[in-house]
Amino acid sequence: MAVTVTHDPPSGTGGPRSGPLIITEDADLLDDLLRLCAAAGATPEVHHGVPEHRGGWEAAPLVLVGDDAAPRVRATPRRRGVVLVGRDQDDSGIWRRAVEIGADHVLVLPDGEQWLVDRIADVAEGVGRPALTVGVIGGRGGAGASTLACALAVTAAREGLRTLLVDADPLGGGLDVLLGGEAAEGLRWPAFATSRGRVGGGALEESLPRLHSLRVLSWDRGDCVAVPPQAVRAVLAAARRGGGAVVVDLPRRVDEGAAEALAQIDVGLLVVPAELRAVAAAARVASVAGMVLRDLRVAVRGPYAPGLDDCEVARLLGLPLAGEVPVESGLRRPGEGRTPPGATARGPLARFCTGFWERALTEAGAA
C-alpha cells in the first residue's frame, strides 16, 4: 500500500544521482529495503538516526524512514521526498507519525514494494525530460519504413542526441542487419521477454549493441519469440527515460505488443509510396494505428503515379504531411553492405531526417 499524504513529489532532473537515505534500526525492515534498493540498482546510505554529517538529511534524493525511527526524525527540518515505511497493515497510528515528520508518502510492506522500487530507481537514474519518441510504420509492405527508421536514428546520433533504435517488428528481418551489425555483441528482444515491472534505463542501454553511435534493440536469428505486452511496455519506458531520441520501427499489424509501443510514441510517421494501391493500404493502417497514436503524419515516397503528389497523398489519407522522403540508392536497396541509411550527412535522406528532427524537437520544446 502506498498513499500520498500532502506534499508535492521531490523535484529532480538531470543525470544519475546517489541512492536513498535509509533511517531505521529494524533489522528485518532494513533487509527488505536493501533488497528493494538492489532491485532498483541503487546503493543506499544507512543510518540509525538522522545523519550527523552536514547535508546528509537535506541532500539525499529520497529518504526512507522506518516506522521505528519516526520519533528520532521528528525534529528534523521539513523537506520533500520522505517516505515513512512500516510493516503493520493494521497500525492506524502510522498516519499520525507521517504527519509529524512531514512525510510525502506512507508505505506498508510488502504491498508497496513495486511502487518503492520504481521510486528508488527514479532517484538512482535521475528523472528528466523523456526521449522524443518517433514511430515509423509502412503504409504497405516494402514502403521503406525500416530504412527511414534507421536513417532517423543515425541522423539523431550524428547530431549528438542520445539515441536508441527499437525494432518492434519481429517479422521484419532485424534492423541490426540493415545497419550491418547482426554479429555485434549485445542483447536482443528475446532476452527481455520475461521483463516485468520496471527495467533500468542505464542497464538496458549498456546491454544493447552499439552501432553507428547509437544503441539498437533488434531480434536475433533464432525462432520467433513472442514478447508479452508488459515486457514491451517496460522496455520502451526504460528507453524513454534516458532522454534524447528513441526511434521505433513499427509493424503494420497492430497486436497487443504493437499497441503498447504505439502508446509511447510521440510522433508517428506513416511511410506511403505515391501510388493508389499503396494509399488504399495505408488508409487501413492509419485507421488502426490512429486509434492509439494521436500524432500520425504521412511521409510520402516517390516516384509519383500520374495525378499524385505528396500533398494529394496526405489529403487522401486525411493526415498532416511530414514531407517527401527522398529517393536514394540506400532507400531502394537496403542491407547490401552499403553505408547505413542516413550515414552520408549531405545525402538527401540525411537532409530530410535533419529537417524532421529540427521541427520535431522545436515542437516538443514548445509543448
Side-chain angles (χ1 to χ4, degrees):
M1 179 176 67
V3 185
T4 302
V5 179
T6 52
H7 301 290
D8 295 330
S11 60
T13 60
R17 306 163 73 182
S18 60
L21 169 65
I22 298 176
I23 302 176
T24 185
E25 285 186 307
D26 184 328
D28 292 335
L29 178 60
L30 179 58
D31 284 344
D32 284 337
L33 294 177
L34 291 176
R35 171 175 55 84
L36 298 178
C37 285
T43 302
E45 181 179 342
V46 180
H47 292 268
H48 291 164
V50 178
E52 295 181 359
H53 61 275
R54 182 178 179 86
W57 169 267
E58 294 87 355
L62 179 68
V63 179
L64 307 179
V65 179
D67 192 31
D68 66 291
R72 298 194 294 279
V73 303
R74 193 175 295 151
T76 56
R78 292 294 188 263
R79 54 152 292 168
R80 296 175 179 176
V82 176
V83 180
L84 183 61
V85 186
R87 300 168 65 88
D88 186 353
Q89 298 277 358
D90 299 322
D91 180 13
S92 59
I94 195 171
W95 301 101
R96 173 181 52 80
R97 294 187 290 276
V99 172
E100 289 174 350
I101 68 173
D104 293 329
H105 291 81
V106 172
L107 185 141
V108 180
L109 300 178
D111 290 355
E113 287 193 356
Q114 187 57 58
W115 180 91
L116 187 55
V117 169
D118 289 349
R119 188 69 178 272
I120 295 169
D122 280 342
V123 301
E125 294 183 341
V127 180
R129 180 186 290 273
L132 177 60
T133 305
V134 177
V136 186
I137 186 169
R140 65 156 170 80
S146 295
T147 299
L148 179 58
C150 287
L152 285 167
V154 168
T155 302
R158 184 171 56 246
E159 295 295 321
L161 292 174
R162 171 256 185 195
T163 306
L164 266 74
L165 175 61
V166 179
D167 186 351
D169 185 359
L171 303 180
L175 294 186
D176 54 350
V177 177
L178 183 54
L179 291 173
E182 61 271 20
E185 293 185 359
L187 300 183
R188 268 67 173 181
W189 265 117
F192 300 98
T194 59
S195 298
R196 298 291 186 274
R198 182 185 178 109
V199 174
L204 170 69
E205 188 168 351
E206 290 301 315
S207 72
L208 300 178
R210 182 177 178 87
L211 302 170
H212 309 288
S213 301
L214 58 99
R215 298 286 181 171
V216 181
L217 175 55
S218 190
W219 301 87
D220 61 17
R221 267 20 88 189
D223 294 337
C224 186
V225 175
V227 178
Q230 307 96 300
V232 174
R233 183 190 316 129
V235 169
L236 284 180
R240 285 170 52 84
R241 279 196 300 271
V246 174
V247 181
V248 184
D249 185 25
L250 296 161
R252 289 188 298 123
R253 180 176 179 178
V254 179
D255 56 14
E256 290 183 345
E260 288 290 350
L262 283 165
Q264 299 196 51
I265 299 298
D266 298 310
V267 180
L269 293 178
L270 179 65
V271 183
V272 184
E275 55 189 53
L276 288 177
R277 287 190 65 191
V279 173
R284 293 189 173 189
V285 175
S287 67
V288 176
M291 291 190 291
V292 182
L293 181 56
R294 289 177 296 177
D295 187 353
L296 182 62
R297 311 175 190 183
V298 60
V300 182
R301 179 169 71 82
Y304 292 94
L308 288 181
D309 59 20
D310 53 357
C311 294
E312 179 64 9
V313 171
R315 187 192 69 80
L316 290 172
L317 292 171
L319 295 173
L321 178 63
E324 177 186 356
V325 180
V327 175
E328 64 178 40
S329 58
L331 187 63
R332 287 181 172 275
R333 293 186 297 274
E336 295 181 354
R338 307 158 73 92
T339 57
T344 304
R346 296 183 179 180
L349 184 55
R351 291 199 301 271
F352 170 88
C353 294
T354 298
F356 170 82
W357 284 120
E358 289 175 352
R359 294 188 300 273
L361 290 168
T362 299
E363 293 168 1

